[in-house]
Amino acid sequence: MELGITTEVTLPFDEVVEKTRAALGEQGFGILTEIDMKATLKKKIDKDIENYLILGACNPPLAHRAVTADEQIGLLLPCNVIVRDHREKPGTVVVEAMNPDIMVEVTGKEALEEVATDAGTRLRAAIAAIG
């Protein structure tokens, strides 16, 4: 099983971030959290890395269905979406979303399969719209 749903694009980083937000929004996801790893690591431990942004995306109806099926599933929510510069390909930005099938794999709960399938379809559509 793949850990993530991925695309690579050759656009400026900030433009890819905006396209990612828009594509997620079109699929019913809002951004609950945002972690700028580059800024955080520089500030906290004075280390430099490439642009690396973690967006905590949430689709409320899907989140409700997931939490109803398994109260502990919140440990895996929201769906993380990463926008980062590619280390080996300058000028390329990678967008990756967590594969929701991992929720089913980790928990073994069949009740999560339908939620994971729906979330996966929406995340794949969002990722495809970026690239």
Side-chain angles (χ1 to χ4, degrees):
M1 174 181 307
E2 294 292 322
L3 181 60
I5 302 161
T6 306
T7 192
E8 296 181 4
V9 293
T10 54
L11 295 169
F13 183 81
D14 290 339
E15 186 176 333
V16 176
V17 170
E18 291 310 311
K19 286 184 75 154
T20 301
R21 289 179 191 280
L24 288 168
E26 289 173 13
Q27 293 298 321
F29 290 91
I31 305 302
L32 299 179
T33 60
E34 183 174 317
I35 302 169
D36 183 340
M37 290 293 290
K38 180 178 182 173
T40 300
L41 295 178
K42 183 64 176 174
K43 180 179 178 182
K44 299 291 185 182
I45 61 173
D46 196 31
K47 297 292 182 184
D48 292 310
I49 66 167
E50 67 281 352
N51 289 316
Y52 196 117
L53 184 67
I54 303 171
L55 302 173
C58 178
N59 179 303
L62 291 176
H64 177 258
R65 288 170 49 201
V67 171
T68 300
D70 184 341
E71 292 175 322
Q72 286 187 308
I73 205 62
L75 294 167
L76 298 176
L77 298 176
C79 296
N80 283 333
V81 178
I82 299 169
V83 182
R84 63 180 175 83
D85 286 334
H86 197 299
R87 287 184 182 157
E88 288 83 37
K89 297 179 185 175
T92 300
V93 178
V94 179
V95 181
E96 300 175 298
M98 183 190 81
N99 182 349
D101 292 336
I102 290 171
M103 293 188 304
V104 179
E105 184 76 21
V106 168
T107 66
K109 299 254 177 151
E110 288 183 29
L112 289 171
E113 287 181 13
E114 188 176 309
V115 177
T117 298
D118 192 358
T121 299
R122 292 171 183 271
L123 288 169
R124 282 180 183 82
I127 297 296
I130 298 162

